[in-house]
Amino acid sequence: MFIIHDSRILTYQVDLENACIEMKAVDEFGSKAMLLFDDVFAYYFENQLPGSILFDITVGEINDFAEDHKELLNKTKDHVWPIYYRNVKELTDHIKKNRYTYYIIESSYGLNGWVLARGMRTEECSS
């Protein structure tokens, strides 16, 4: 059984056309899995390093999303990212109305960030 905590990210792929993210990881026991984010609305990753180690992936509150990322949202608002919105409440209302979940990717080392998506699932893989 795959365990996210202390798993190492091997690869990740963002499919913009199909709005999904696939992240392949191996846990400390050698089990491999694909972490799949479906119907992705927006995402932000930083510190992508070889050997990135996940601490956890948690679900955050949508109301906290705007506060957690106020600086980023203010910086990208005029570039219509992640969508056109007049104020943060309008963006938050859109996220809630469309039933996106706020996934927080925490790391012990390397890649961390967040994903707004309608779902996340784990599929174990053999290679």
Side-chain angles (χ1 to χ4, degrees):
M1 178 171 192
F2 179 80
I3 299 170
I4 289 177
H5 180 73
D6 284 341
S7 64
R8 188 169 42 92
I9 300 171
L10 301 174
T11 65
Y12 75 90
Q13 177 177 327
V14 178
D15 182 338
L16 297 172
E17 185 174 8
N18 294 303
C20 62
I21 297 173
E22 298 178 347
M23 188 175 290
K24 187 175 185 179
V26 60
D27 68 18
E28 61 186 320
F29 304 104
S31 296
K32 292 182 181 175
M34 292 297 287
L35 309 173
L36 304 162
F37 296 91
D38 298 312
D39 294 321
V40 173
F41 171 61
Y43 70 95
Y44 183 81
F45 296 151
E46 58 186 6
N47 303 326
Q48 298 95 327
L49 297 170
S52 292
I53 299 171
L54 292 171
F55 178 76
D56 203 359
I57 298 176
T58 58
V59 174
E61 293 292 326
I62 297 300
N63 290 334
D64 293 339
F65 170 77
E67 186 60 35
D68 292 349
H69 306 292
K70 184 187 322 186
E71 185 178 323
L72 175 66
L73 293 172
N74 284 333
K75 185 172 113 178
T76 59
K77 181 177 181 284
D78 292 339
H79 300 284
V80 191
W81 185 87
I83 60 170
Y84 172 78
Y85 59 96
R86 289 176 290 230
N87 55 56
V88 173
K89 183 182 179 323
E90 186 177 341
L91 174 62
T92 303
D93 288 347
H94 175 84
I95 293 167
K96 288 178 183 177
K97 176 184 170 195
N98 288 281
R99 300 179 185 258
Y100 292 110
T101 301
Y102 173 34
Y103 297 100
I104 302 166
I105 301 172
E106 302 169 277
S107 71
S108 301
Y109 170 80
L111 188 144
N112 63 81
W114 52 265
V115 177
L116 289 171
R118 289 207 177 102
M120 185 208 152
R121 57 195 160 81
T122 303
E123 291 182 3
E124 293 197 34
C125 52
S126 56
S127 60

